[in-house]
Amino acid sequence: DVKVTQSSRYLVKRTGEKVFLECVQDMDHENMFWYRQDPGLGLRLIYFSYDVKMKEKGDIPEGYSVSREKKERFSLILESASTNQTSMYLCASSSRQGGLETQYFGPGTRLLVL
Amino acid sequence: GDSVTQMEGPVTLSEEAFLTINCTYTATGYPSLFWYVQYPGEGLQLLLKATKADDKGSNKGFEATYRKETTSFHLEKGSVQVSDSAVYFCALGSSASKIIFGSGTRLSIRP
């Protein structure tokens, strides 16, 4: 069974804190993605990575950075959290053969920034 | 740019009712089209997909047909169950090789 796990289901942080969201996949997938999900806006792509140490900006990268030091792990970093980053964050992965569309999603991390 | 528009929810139906969730798209070229489903407390799962015009994707009793002439990919099911309650996302594989998601439609089925 394919598995994408995210380090936390719920997080509460204060404005200005540095926040790390971790995502791990056990499928040996090359591609990994971070989205945020907001009511009425669907999913919006923050960053993605095609390989270790590679990263590409998505549609809304401002205020975020990422790290991919190992193939199975893709981290999303909020350098200085702000209240407008309160959201649900979803990680996904896919194989190069499968194409970008065959993405497998983790359960999500609901982040509240106070 | 590429975009997806789907009907706003929430949609509430009785068990065994017929379901349609409308989805239209704007894209250059001929993108692949998808429906993803998100059950409560879970991540998204691919429900079905179609990769070219007139293709019909199907899974778990759901169907959607890729209509190039109307740029649509409406999701249908003949008889819904309580277990179909979820949020449904229409999506397309864009020319930039990314997935563009619609805003989602929440479906609730009454017993």
Side-chain angles (χ1 to χ4, degrees):
Chain A
D1 245 9
V2 295
K3 194 85 170 173
V4 179
T5 57
Q6 296 183 228
S7 50
S8 306
R9 294 299 297 268
Y10 301 95
L11 271 180
V12 181
K13 297 291 181 183
R14 297 212 173 269
T15 302
E17 280 193 76
K18 191 168 186 175
V19 182
F20 293 87
L21 302 182
E22 304 284 339
C23 175
V24 178
Q25 49 93 5
D26 65 358
M27 298 162 282
D28 202 36
H29 282 169
E30 291 82 9
N31 308 320
M32 296 189 75
F33 310 85
W34 275 107
Y35 296 88
R36 63 178 283 175
Q37 181 181 6
D38 300 289
L41 297 177
L43 275 71
R44 292 179 291 168
L45 183 63
I46 304 171
Y47 268 97
F48 58 105
S49 168
Y50 289 129
D51 207 343
V52 176
K53 295 194 186 296
M54 294 181 66
K55 59 185 178 184
E56 298 281 341
K57 291 181 180 179
D59 299 316
I60 51 164
E62 296 78 19
Y64 303 94
S65 61
V66 290
S67 171
R68 184 126 183 244
E69 296 296 317
K70 294 184 177 181
K71 190 176 185 181
E72 68 271 17
R73 189 180 296 269
F74 191 36
S75 303
L76 180 69
I77 303 153
L78 287 65
E79 294 288 342
S80 178
S82 63
T83 54
N84 63 14
Q85 292 178 309
T86 291
S87 186
M88 169 74 90
Y89 290 88
L90 293 170
C91 175
S93 71
S94 71
S95 69
R96 193 161 288 149
Q97 290 99 335
L100 282 171
E101 66 270 20
T102 316
Q103 293 185 16
Y104 297 89
F105 283 81
T109 296
R110 191 170 292 281
L111 173 66
L112 173 62
V113 182
L114 300 174
Chain B
D2 296 349
S3 66
V4 175
T5 302
Q6 62 182 105
M7 64 188 289
E8 290 189 23
V11 174
T12 303
L13 296 172
S14 297
E15 207 165 19
E16 300 183 3
F18 184 86
L19 168 71
T20 300
I21 300 178
N22 290 336
C23 172
T24 57
Y25 67 90
T26 302
T28 54
Y30 303 100
S32 296
L33 299 175
F34 317 96
W35 278 99
Y36 279 81
V37 59
Q38 185 179 34
Y39 297 106
E42 299 183 15
L44 275 71
Q45 304 173 23
L46 180 65
L47 180 60
L48 54 84
K49 70 178 185 181
T51 57
K52 61 183 188 297
D54 300 325
D55 264 5
K56 178 185 282 188
S58 61
N59 186 25
K60 300 183 180 181
F62 291 90
E63 293 183 341
T65 301
Y66 190 141
R67 302 279 188 207
K68 189 163 74 76
E69 62 278 10
T70 55
T71 62
S72 65
F73 192 56
H74 304 321
L75 182 69
E76 296 181 335
K77 186 174 185 181
S79 176
V80 292
Q81 305 301 312
V82 171
S83 58
D84 294 326
S85 299
V87 181
Y88 292 81
F89 292 91
C90 186
L92 67 83
S94 77
S95 57
S97 298
K98 294 185 296 186
I99 295 184
I100 307 294
F101 287 88
S103 56
T105 301
R106 183 175 299 277
L107 174 66
S108 295
I109 307 300
R110 292 188 299 253

